[in-house]
Amino acid sequence: MAERRKDNKGRVLRTGESQRKDLLYQFRYTDGSGKRRTVYANNLPELREKERKVEIRKKEGVDFSAGNVTVLELATRYIELKQNIRVQTLCGYRSTITALKNSKLGYMHICDVKQSDVKSWYVELRKSGKSYSTVAGYKTVLMPAFKMAYDEYAVSRNPFDFPLKAVIKNDSEKRSALTKEQQMMWLEFIHNDSCYKKHYDEFVVLLETGLRISELCGLIFEEVNIQCKCNSQKDEKE
């Protein structure tokens, strides 16, 4: 019977495990596409934790390490795992998917994407007329999506992990709040306008609470605590 492989501390290594000459541990396995893959660790417990995650991923059928997974597929998978997201956030996700469908980057294999590819895509988006905030919105989806792939050992680094302003200029205008005088002028216009005056109450609620329109539309009576507000005002007067 062949002698079992051991590490430098005399511990018996499992099938697929080995320790290199530089003392780094590694585990080799075959992914869902039949390709040989390797994960590395500085110590044996860390390596076996990575092995455990590999096995879980195999059982769940989630194997991003297969070379045929595209950026578009990765982003779609990431979005599908998000729950209880706001309507506005969902619109941003859909916009990102559309942008990927219309770009070469979206159809690249995730293991082939380099930081230079991402930078070129950003520049291309700006030249096509996309605003800095829109491009930043795409980044907020793709950076965590690649982080997910990195955590599953599908990529060796996250190509989106760099400051956006290092590539394109942030020319977004800083928003300023309305002054009290401007607020009163705006409300007076709403109140006297033949078209908008029927929505005067809704505008007042939006202005005084800071709610988004989608949040106001989804607001139900049970979520409103007028008594609590009244009590806080009473306390302030006292």
Side-chain angles (χ1 to χ4, degrees):
M1 180 181 296
E3 184 178 354
R4 298 292 299 275
R5 184 178 299 171
K6 298 181 181 180
D7 66 3
N8 65 327
K9 296 182 180 180
R11 292 174 295 189
V12 176
L13 300 177
R14 299 172 182 171
T15 302
E17 295 178 345
S18 62
Q19 187 177 30
R20 307 191 323 181
K21 291 182 179 180
D22 59 3
L23 302 184
L24 189 69
Y25 290 87
Q26 64 181 26
F27 171 69
R28 301 199 68 192
Y29 69 100
T30 303
D31 66 20
S33 66
K35 293 185 178 180
R36 294 288 288 171
R37 302 288 177 180
T38 306
V39 293
Y40 303 93
N42 292 318
N43 54 65
L44 192 56
E46 180 186 347
L47 182 71
R48 288 183 173 168
E49 174 61 20
K50 291 185 176 182
E51 291 177 40
R52 186 184 68 83
K53 291 182 179 180
V54 167
E55 290 303 316
I56 291 174
R57 189 168 70 244
K58 282 184 175 181
K59 290 178 181 179
E60 293 178 346
V62 181
D63 193 0
F64 289 135
S65 59
N68 59 351
V69 176
T70 65
V71 176
L72 177 59
E73 290 169 337
L74 175 65
T76 302
R77 172 65 177 172
Y78 170 76
I79 293 172
E80 288 175 348
L81 295 175
K82 305 292 286 184
Q83 299 293 322
N84 301 320
I85 56 178
R86 295 173 177 174
V87 175
Q88 187 174 3
T89 303
L90 181 59
C91 289
Y93 287 165
R94 289 172 177 169
S95 177
T96 302
I97 294 300
T98 299
L100 289 174
K101 287 181 178 179
N102 295 327
S103 70
K104 294 180 180 179
L105 181 72
Y107 300 96
M108 290 182 65
H109 297 158
I110 60 174
C111 57
D112 295 331
V113 178
K114 300 183 294 294
Q115 200 171 88
S116 59
D117 297 317
V118 178
K119 291 179 178 179
S120 296
W121 185 55
Y122 286 160
V123 172
E124 179 185 330
L125 288 169
R126 287 294 281 133
K127 287 182 177 179
S128 68
K130 299 295 183 184
S131 66
Y132 181 91
S133 58
T134 297
V135 179
Y138 298 159
K139 186 175 188 290
T140 60
V141 177
L142 294 168
M143 185 169 174
F146 267 84
K147 172 64 166 55
M148 179 176 70
Y150 174 81
D151 290 341
E152 296 186 353
Y153 321 116
V155 292
S156 59
R157 62 177 299 185
N158 189 335
F160 285 84
D161 190 11
F162 64 89
L164 179 59
K165 61 183 180 181
V167 183
I168 58 177
K169 182 180 179 181
N170 184 358
D171 54 1
S172 302
E173 295 184 3
K174 186 177 181 180
R175 297 181 181 180
S176 57
L178 295 175
T179 64
K180 195 65 178 179
E181 182 182 359
Q182 290 172 330
Q183 293 177 31
M184 297 306 297
M185 291 176 59
W186 180 66
L187 287 177
E188 183 179 358
F189 167 78
I190 297 296
H191 186 268
N192 297 326
D193 186 81
S194 59
C195 177
Y196 295 111
K197 64 180 181 181
K198 60 184 176 182
H199 300 299
Y200 179 80
D201 292 340
E202 288 87 342
F203 281 118
V204 171
V205 173
L206 290 170
L207 179 63
E208 294 294 333
T209 63
L211 287 172
R212 296 183 175 91
I213 293 178
S214 59
E215 292 171 335
L216 177 62
C217 293
L219 190 64
I220 59 177
F221 185 77
E222 289 75 10
E223 294 175 341
V224 180
N225 193 335
I226 299 177
Q227 186 63 37
C228 180
K229 178 65 175 177
C230 291
N231 287 340
S232 63
Q233 290 178 339
K234 183 180 179 181
D235 294 339
E236 290 176 1
K237 291 179 180 179
E238 293 177 353

